[in-house]
Amino acid sequence: VIDLDEVWSMLDHQTPRTHALEHWLEARRAAAVLTDEFYHSGRDAVIVNGPFFTEAERRSYIDHLRSDVAPLFVTLRVSFEESWRRAQTDSRRVLSKQREWLAERYSVNERLLPSLLATDLIVDTNGRGPDQIAAEILTTLAGTAD
């Protein structure tokens, strides 16, 4: 598993963080390189956890992949109120603990959803545990295997 937030933190490690767009682009390119290395080392699957909502975000990852893989994008959905609750209990969160900031990001992501419906596996995570979510994703992957 590659956490794009962790890769981004390596690139934007100053305090306060700059939140510069180029760091996110670099993080996606680095994730592509790591993906290739993991596949070449014999891994059967690589999960990259991070925001891939827009075509530009996806291209900055896909265009740097050298492995012969076809990524499956999985979009996890949650209600705003559940997102807000989760943010409040996560000690690593800063901006998302500000309700107005989180509401704006949530709204932007919700507007992007219609374009993802045709390409992504959309998983509703409200009231579901990680095991249930993983089982749904695995069932979908098993159905797409050759």
Side-chain angles (χ1 to χ4, degrees), residues 2-145:
I2 303 165
D3 188 333
L4 206 56
D5 286 338
E6 295 297 325
V7 178
W8 172 81
S9 291
M10 288 187 266
L11 298 165
D12 193 5
H13 59 276
Q14 304 302 314
T15 304
R17 295 188 192 273
T18 65
H19 298 282
L21 178 61
E22 66 266 13
H23 291 148
W24 284 108
L25 297 174
E26 286 179 86
R28 287 184 183 89
R29 287 193 302 264
V33 171
L34 286 170
T35 298
D36 289 335
E37 287 303 314
F38 289 153
Y39 275 118
H40 292 331
S41 296
R43 300 287 176 183
D44 293 330
V46 177
I47 299 169
V48 181
N49 175 26
F52 289 98
F53 293 118
T54 68
E55 185 62 26
E57 289 171 343
R58 292 171 184 218
R59 294 272 38 116
S60 64
Y61 171 73
I62 293 170
D63 289 349
H64 291 86
L65 282 175
R66 301 297 172 243
S67 300
D68 186 25
V69 297
L72 167 67
F73 288 96
V74 178
T75 297
L76 303 178
R77 295 194 67 213
V78 67
S79 68
F80 173 76
E81 289 304 323
E82 178 61 13
S83 179
W84 170 248
R85 187 195 67 74
R86 290 177 187 178
Q88 299 313 299
T89 62
D90 187 342
S91 63
R92 298 170 297 163
R93 301 290 182 115
V94 177
L95 286 175
S96 55
K97 287 188 175 191
Q98 299 171 20
R99 191 173 179 92
E100 185 176 296
W101 184 89
L102 185 63
E104 181 182 327
R105 295 304 317 145
Y106 189 87
S107 176
V108 167
N109 292 341
E110 283 296 295
R111 285 193 302 271
L112 294 170
L113 183 64
S115 65
L116 305 178
L117 291 172
T119 59
D120 291 20
L121 169 60
I122 310 291
V123 179
D124 184 353
T125 66
N126 279 313
R128 299 174 71 199
D131 290 345
Q132 294 169 306
I133 296 164
E136 181 176 338
I137 294 168
L138 286 172
T139 298
T140 300
L141 286 174
T144 61

